[in-house]
Amino acid sequence: MHEFVRLNHQILPVTKTFLSAISSATFYGKGVFTTIAIYDSKPFLWEKHWQRLTENAQKLGVDLLGFNKNSVKNSLLEIIEINNFTNGRARITFFDESPGKIWSFETAGKTSLLITTADFQTRQENLQLTFSPFPVNSKSPLVNVKSCNYLENILAFEEAKKRRFDEAVRLNEREEIVSACLANLFWVKGNEIFTPGLETGCLGGTTRAFFLENFSIKEKRVNKVDLIESDEVFLASSGIGIAAVKSIEGKIFTNSSTIFTALQTSLSSHRSAAT
């Protein structure tokens, strides 16, 4: 993580940043966030990130009336400049500071904004995946919401790492493919591209949305066997862009088609045009 963060209207060192210990965010994980790729000191796919933040906040009842798209973007640009980096990532988090109904208390604030930045994580090639033993509940009220209640994803990711895999494929209670722990999932069969539909419980990622808008991709409900029998598999997110999957529990994918290259090129071209 970089040296400085933005907390509401203040620029603070990371080590001097504190959130309220008495809030719905602390007690229940009530809050929403998004991780944004930064290229040439500018946020990538900002409109999509802001739209998802506001939609997710509305679903959870997080009050964003004190914030707007332009002011938050300006705050993000300010911390990018202060931390003096060109390419990397930023996380925008809205924490609900209001009192909860179980542990009620008096509080002056409603919502806090925290913006943190960091370098990109080291990009991995030829990812080796497994299937996670932890199912996604497609009927959860948190489904399709990128909330601060993110522990299930982290535990699934860490469990895969303990078994020496790079990531894991998560399924829902109907044994349908949903996503990876920290990224959206795509696969190719013949000359067609597929991804799980939102009804499976997968998150509507911003990179996923970009690909759906620019390529002919079918949203489909499939099981383990369907995925294993595909020709190639890849992951997509703001943090990794697009990454090829080498294997899932021993099944090797050739990744020899031009589809992956076309997706990667389109993403890179859009980045260049945006900056």
Side-chain angles (χ1 to χ4, degrees):
M1 188 179 294
H2 295 151
E3 183 178 358
F4 295 100
V5 304
R6 173 135 187 165
L7 178 60
N8 296 323
H9 304 294
Q10 292 182 291
I11 302 295
L12 299 169
V14 171
T15 55
K16 302 294 183 181
T17 304
F18 301 99
L19 294 169
S20 172
I22 308 298
S23 70
S24 290
T26 304
F27 282 2
Y28 318 119
K30 189 177 180 184
V32 296
F33 78 96
T34 192
T35 301
I36 305 176
I38 307 298
Y39 297 104
D40 195 24
S41 301
K42 297 176 183 177
F44 183 59
L45 299 179
W46 167 249
E47 297 287 338
K48 286 181 169 52
H49 282 283
W50 180 255
Q51 180 179 349
R52 187 176 65 186
L53 275 170
T54 54
E55 290 175 353
N56 286 182
Q58 185 176 19
K59 287 181 180 179
L60 297 192
V62 177
D63 187 351
L64 297 189
L65 288 178
F67 306 92
N68 63 64
K69 179 174 65 176
N70 291 332
S71 66
V72 174
K73 182 179 181 180
N74 288 336
S75 295
L76 173 58
L77 293 173
E78 181 182 13
I79 198 65
I80 290 171
E81 182 178 3
I82 289 171
N83 281 326
N84 191 28
F85 73 103
T86 302
N87 298 318
R89 55 197 163 116
R91 171 169 162 152
I92 295 179
T93 310
F94 288 107
F95 295 100
D96 189 336
E97 299 279 9
S98 65
K101 297 187 181 299
I102 300 174
W103 295 88
S104 58
F105 45 85
E106 293 294 328
T107 178
K110 289 185 177 181
T111 304
S112 287
L113 167 64
L114 177 66
I115 305 178
T116 57
T117 65
D119 295 335
F120 280 123
Q121 292 177 299
T122 303
R123 186 185 176 114
Q124 290 181 282
E125 302 291 340
N126 300 317
L127 298 171
Q128 299 184 62
L129 274 57
T130 182
F131 288 104
S132 174
F134 307 137
V136 173
N137 177 9
S138 67
K139 302 300 181 183
S140 167
L142 293 177
V143 74
N144 298 326
V145 174
K146 196 160 187 177
S147 80
C148 294
N149 210 315
Y150 207 60
L151 189 56
E152 275 195 12
N153 302 67
I154 299 301
L155 290 175
F157 182 72
E158 291 178 347
E159 190 277 336
K161 286 288 191 180
K162 287 178 182 177
R163 292 193 281 130
R164 301 193 177 185
F165 289 95
D166 300 309
E167 247 277 20
V169 177
R170 298 191 69 192
L171 292 82
N172 62 21
E173 73 279 6
R174 297 185 297 273
E175 297 292 313
E176 297 168 338
I177 300 298
V178 176
S179 66
C181 305
L182 307 178
N184 285 116
L185 184 78
F186 294 80
W187 65 95
V188 176
K189 186 71 173 177
N191 291 317
E192 294 185 303
I193 315 170
F194 301 92
T195 194
L198 295 181
E199 69 276 5
T200 65
C202 83
L203 181 72
T206 54
T207 306
R208 174 185 184 275
F210 171 81
F211 285 147
L212 286 172
E213 288 176 4
N214 290 278
F215 291 87
S216 177
I217 298 175
K218 296 181 179 179
E219 296 178 273
K220 193 173 182 181
R221 295 162 69 167
V222 301
N223 57 29
K224 283 183 179 181
V225 174
D226 296 316
L227 184 64
I228 290 295
E229 291 181 347
S230 61
D231 300 325
E232 54 186 311
V233 179
F234 55 91
L235 306 183
S237 74
S238 294
I240 64 174
I242 179 172
V245 173
K246 179 181 179 180
S247 67
I248 300 179
E249 293 193 348
K251 162 62 189 294
I252 305 295
F253 299 97
T254 59
N255 295 313
S256 59
S257 78
T258 59
I259 292 176
F260 179 85
T261 302
L263 291 165
Q264 192 173 47
T265 300
S266 176
L267 199 59
S268 298
S269 298
H270 193 75
R271 288 171 186 162
S272 299
T275 57

